[in-house]
Structures are given as C-alpha cells and as structure tokens.
Amino acid sequence: MERIADNIAKDFNISFHDENLLYEAFTHSSYVNEHRHLALQDNERLEFLGDAVLEVVISDYLFHTYKHWHEGKMTRLRAQIVCEPSLSSFAKECHFDQYIRLGKGEENMGGRQRPALLCDVFESFIGAVYLDQGIDAARAFINQVMITKLKEDAFSHVMDYKTSLQEELQKNGDVAIQYVLLSEEGPAHARKFDVEVRAFGKVLGKGQGQSKKVAEQSAAKNALESLL
Amino acid sequence: MERIADNIAKDFNISFHDENLLYEAFTHSSYVNEHRHLALQDNERLEFLGDAVLEVVISDYLFHTYKHWHEGKMTRLRAQIVCEPSLSSFAKECHFDQYIRLGKGEENMGGRQRPALLCDVFESFIGAVYLDQGIDAARAFINQVMITKLKEDAFSHVMDYKTSLQEELQKNGDVAIQYVLLSEEGPAHARKFDVEVRAFGKVLGKGQGQSKKVAEQSAAKNALESLL
C-alpha cells in the first residue's frame, strides 16, 4: 500500500495528510462488495466532488486563456477536454490503472482498462486531492497533467478548427470560406498536401498535412491564430 | 449605476474591486447588441464560469453535509438545487431582476422575468464574485443566499422524499413500503390528513398535510430523518 502513496508523492509532489482518502479514490465499488467485512468506502462520493472540481478548474483556465472566446466556444472545448476518452487516457498516463482496487469479477471482465472506470478514478483522485489539500493543490495537479498537454496542442486530434474558424468568421453574418489545394506531392505512402484557406478575398491561413483533411484543419488553425 | 454596487455591498457585504465585472454580470446580450458603440461585454462568459463555481460549491456542501449519502443521491439533490426554477427565484430574491441591462426588444417581450435569463444572471454574478474575490467569497454568497434556505428546508417543495426513502430502504433489496391514512378531518377547504409510513413491520415515520400527497411526503421525510 505504501508504494502508491510514494509514487503519488514522487510523480505529482502530493503527500496526502490523510492517506485513507488516497486509497478511497482508488477503491472501486466491486472491491467493496467483495470485501464487505472491511467496511470500505468506494470512490463514488469522491468522484462526485472531483468531477465538479475539475470542471471549475478547467473553466477558469479556459476563461483566462481564451479572453476573446464566447461562452459557446469555451463550452465546446471544455466538453472535449473533460470527456471520458480524454480523462481515461490521463488516468493511464498517471498509472492510476495500476493502483485501482477492483473486485475479481470486474477484473476478469477487463474492468481495469474500461474507459468509464478509469475516468471515474481520475475524477475521484482529484476529489481526494481537493479534500485533503484544497483547490489550489487540485489545480496544480490538473495543471501538471492536463493543461500542459493542452498547451502542447495535444488536444488537436479532438479540436475541430474548421468549425471554430467558421463560427468565428460568421459571427456577423454569412461568409464564404474556401479551402484551396495548392499542391499535392510525394509518393502514395508519404503524400504531402498544401492547403490555404480564404475568405473576404484574402488568404487567412496555410496548412500542410499527409491528407487533405489534416492540411485543411492545419490551415484553419493557422487562420484562427492570426485572427484571435 | 452606483446604486447597484451599493446595494450589493449592503445586501451581501461584497465590495467589488473591479465594478466593471459587476456590471458585466448584469449585462444581457440584447443590451450589447443595441449599444454596439459602447463595445460592452455581455454576461455569458461570466455565466460559463459562475455555473462551474456554483456546481463545485454546492457539491462540496452536499459532500460534507450528507456524509452517508451515496453519489447518486447527492447528484439528484444537486440537480434539484442547481436548476432554472430554483436559481431564477434566488435571482429575484436578490433583486437581480431590477439590475439587468436589457435590450428594448427583450424588455418588451418580458425578458426581465424570464426564468432562463434570471438563472443566467444569477450564475454570472457568482462568476463575477469569484473572479473579483476568489472562491471563498463566492462560497460565502452562495451560503448566505442558497444554503441557509436549504437548511431551512425551503427546498422541500422540490424534494421528493418518498423516492429518497424508497432508495434508502431498497439499498439491500426489495422492501414493501406502505403509506397508511390514519385520519382525514376538517372541512373541504381546510382538510387535514394524517399518514404513517411502514416497512419491515414497523412504523418508520408520521406526517400531516392538507392533501394525502403532502402528508405522505411529510411522513417519508420524517422516516428519512430517523434513518440517516
């Protein structure tokens, strides 16, 4: 048991005052059900709390980072960041899958790799940090694990820049947006596409990629960066 | 304009460092659209933030208050507290309806009394307090305005105690729950019903009310209080 607390201290610089909270965060209800005599608490209450803490920390970050974005756009990006596929992959990066206390039945059914379960554990860990050390410690963890990725653009696979650009340009009425293929080069297995995006008779951005779709997203991203 | 800031200081003991935030919270998009030359910001970004702040403060309160409640039950109560009818009535109690800057069109269509609009303003005010003074000030406001009501049981009209009791009793399997009418007295316009609720061959609670429905809810509440 001590190993988990040590790993958490090493990886995230968080030393729990109450280590029971840490273990509660990693205790799935299936484990509690199979060990009733231990009278353990599963992680669902902590998940309830951590979910709300995560939401406010990410909202605060988006609010301060995208000062010119409207509410709808922040809400969409938040939904892309705080969603099961995203949180479950963060849980794995943090090695939380190794720490979970699972019942045998759930384990045999592959529960340890189940995205919904990993997502819950990620949120309950945040709930435990918040309870043990307050919102700033929870923010520091979220910052270290999630927001640095956001800054490195690791969310680009979930960001739809073409839709964002369209929304940005059409704020004051309809605008015709064109994606123009400038060139297409290279052998089939390493094709390279060059695209530019135009509106108002101007070139707004350029992008490259191994498919037309990727090159267009890249051009839209480039245009958004120069607009915002 | 100064009057609003004075009222807020008097009613909630909150003196804004940046009063622009306060006025932004009370600025509806319809007003911004009708006064484009003023280049105002509407309250929707603050609402995005305030919504998340409210969620975490209420979650924290429920977590600490109902230590034996499971996640599902806290989630249901949170949804009853943080919902449009509830928040719009708090907005009115705070006189926020009087402070909103609305466009003429929206005003003429009765926007000032529209629950969705009032609910948004309540959340954007919380967002403004959070930005200006941090989460503890937001918590103090929510505490003063909402949580004291919760303690006074002012949410009883939205609480479904019969369902809660059923969930509580059926945690470990099916249980037959009976509501028994003990008496029904008084003239038609002031009828009084006496009800008791039974399970496991025992009387769990008693309640009274001007209708059978109200008396049953009251009995369920009484039973819950003795169980939890």
Side-chain angles (χ1 to χ4, degrees):
Chain A
M1 291 297 263
E2 214 143 82
R3 233 194 74 247
I4 296 180
D6 292 346
N7 286 351
I8 296 297
K10 182 164 59 68
D11 292 344
F12 310 113
N13 198 23
I14 301 174
S15 295
F16 273 77
H17 303 121
D18 177 2
E19 289 194 0
N20 289 325
L21 282 173
L22 177 60
Y23 296 113
E24 184 177 322
F26 293 130
T27 302
H28 188 254
S29 56
S30 61
Y31 187 87
V32 174
N33 291 336
E34 288 185 11
H35 300 82
R36 288 191 182 271
H37 60 288
L38 297 177
L40 293 166
Q41 174 86 46
D42 69 37
N43 66 355
E44 293 180 22
R45 280 174 50 87
L46 287 176
E47 181 218 329
F48 169 84
L49 193 57
D51 172 84
V53 172
L54 178 58
E55 182 109 343
V56 79
V57 168
I58 295 290
S59 301
D60 184 315
Y61 168 74
L62 294 177
F63 185 93
H64 284 98
T65 305
Y66 301 102
K67 292 187 196 296
H68 301 289
W69 280 22
H70 205 257
E71 172 273 330
K73 205 163 162 181
M74 292 194 292
T75 300
R76 277 191 296 280
L77 181 53
R78 186 176 62 189
Q80 286 168 341
I81 298 168
V82 183
C83 65
E84 198 177 285
S86 151
L87 300 187
S88 62
S89 80
F90 285 124
K92 278 192 179 187
E93 284 174 30
C94 296
H95 309 298
F96 288 175
D97 53 332
Q98 299 167 28
Y99 305 155
I100 306 168
R101 296 196 283 190
L102 268 189
K104 279 180 195 151
E106 186 69 43
E107 184 81 81
N108 292 338
M109 291 196 310
R112 195 171 289 275
Q113 298 305 316
R114 203 154 52 81
L117 194 153
L118 290 166
C119 169
D120 291 350
V121 166
F122 190 75
E123 292 180 333
S124 39
F125 179 76
I126 290 170
V129 174
Y130 171 81
L131 267 188
D132 196 65
Q133 322 207 351
I135 196 160
D136 289 329
R139 193 191 309 275
F141 169 76
I142 294 164
N143 206 33
Q144 178 189 341
V145 171
M146 297 181 72
I147 291 178
T148 49
K149 294 271 167 182
L150 199 60
K151 287 182 181 158
E152 290 162 7
D153 204 27
F155 281 92
S156 57
H157 59 293
V158 289
M159 285 287 289
D160 181 358
Y161 294 107
K162 285 178 70 175
T163 303
S164 299
L165 179 63
Q166 193 178 352
E167 287 165 354
E168 192 59 36
L169 295 179
Q170 296 192 338
K171 272 199 283 198
N172 302 311
D174 267 359
V175 175
I177 303 169
Q178 280 186 299
Y179 289 86
V180 182
L181 182 64
L182 300 179
S183 70
E184 185 183 339
E185 291 170 343
H189 68 276
R191 207 94 179 132
K192 215 188 95 199
F193 294 79
D194 266 288
V195 165
E196 66 183 27
V197 55
R198 298 178 190 163
F200 311 112
K202 286 188 297 191
V203 174
L204 298 183
K206 295 187 180 217
Q208 296 188 332
Q210 294 199 330
S211 74
K212 233 174 91 177
K213 199 175 147 189
V214 170
E216 287 179 1
Q217 286 287 349
S218 165
K221 179 168 184 279
N222 180 233
L224 277 167
E225 285 164 355
S226 62
L227 284 172
L228 298 177
Chain B
M1 291 300 264
E2 214 143 84
R3 235 195 72 248
I4 296 180
D6 291 347
N7 286 353
I8 296 296
K10 182 164 58 68
D11 291 345
F12 310 113
N13 198 24
I14 300 175
S15 295
F16 273 77
H17 303 123
D18 177 3
E19 289 193 0
N20 289 324
L21 281 172
L22 176 60
Y23 297 114
E24 185 176 319
F26 293 129
T27 303
H28 187 253
S29 56
S30 62
Y31 187 87
V32 174
N33 291 334
E34 288 185 13
H35 300 81
R36 287 189 182 272
H37 60 288
L38 297 177
L40 293 166
Q41 174 87 46
D42 69 37
N43 65 355
E44 294 180 19
R45 279 174 52 85
L46 287 176
E47 181 218 331
F48 169 85
L49 193 57
D51 172 84
V53 171
L54 178 58
E55 181 109 345
V56 79
V57 169
I58 295 291
S59 301
D60 184 317
Y61 168 74
L62 295 177
F63 186 94
H64 285 98
T65 306
Y66 301 102
K67 291 186 196 297
H68 299 289
W69 280 21
H70 205 257
E71 171 273 332
K73 204 164 166 181
M74 293 194 291
T75 300
R76 277 191 295 280
L77 179 54
R78 186 177 62 190
Q80 286 167 341
I81 299 168
V82 184
C83 65
E84 198 177 285
S86 150
L87 301 187
S88 61
S89 80
F90 286 124
K92 280 192 176 185
E93 283 175 29
C94 296
H95 309 297
F96 288 175
D97 53 332
Q98 299 167 28
Y99 306 155
I100 305 169
R101 296 195 284 188
L102 267 189
K104 279 179 195 152
E106 185 70 42
E107 184 81 80
N108 292 336
M109 291 196 310
R112 196 172 288 276
Q113 298 304 316
R114 202 153 53 79
L117 195 151
L118 289 166
C119 168
D120 291 349
V121 166
F122 190 75
E123 291 181 332
S124 39
F125 179 76
I126 290 170
V129 174
Y130 171 80
L131 268 187
D132 196 66
Q133 321 206 354
I135 197 160
D136 289 330
R139 193 191 309 275
F141 168 77
I142 294 164
N143 206 33
Q144 179 189 340
V145 172
M146 297 181 71
I147 291 177
T148 48
K149 294 271 168 179
L150 198 61
K151 288 182 181 156
E152 289 162 7
D153 203 28
F155 281 91
S156 58
H157 58 295
V158 290
M159 286 286 291
D160 181 357
Y161 294 106
K162 283 178 71 176
T163 303
S164 297
L165 178 63
Q166 193 178 353
E167 287 165 355
E168 193 58 36
L169 295 179
Q170 297 190 338
K171 272 198 283 197
N172 301 312
D174 267 0
V175 176
I177 303 169
Q178 279 186 300
Y179 289 87
V180 181
L181 182 63
L182 300 179
S183 69
E184 185 183 338
E185 292 170 341
H189 68 278
R191 205 97 181 129
K192 213 187 96 199
F193 295 80
D194 266 287
V195 164
E196 66 184 26
V197 55
R198 298 178 190 165
F200 312 112
K202 285 187 298 190
V203 173
L204 299 182
K206 295 185 179 219
Q208 297 188 332
Q210 293 200 331
S211 74
K212 231 175 94 179
K213 199 176 148 190
V214 169
E216 287 178 1
Q217 285 289 347
S218 165
K221 180 167 183 279
N222 180 235
L224 276 167
E225 284 163 356
S226 64
L227 284 173
L228 298 178

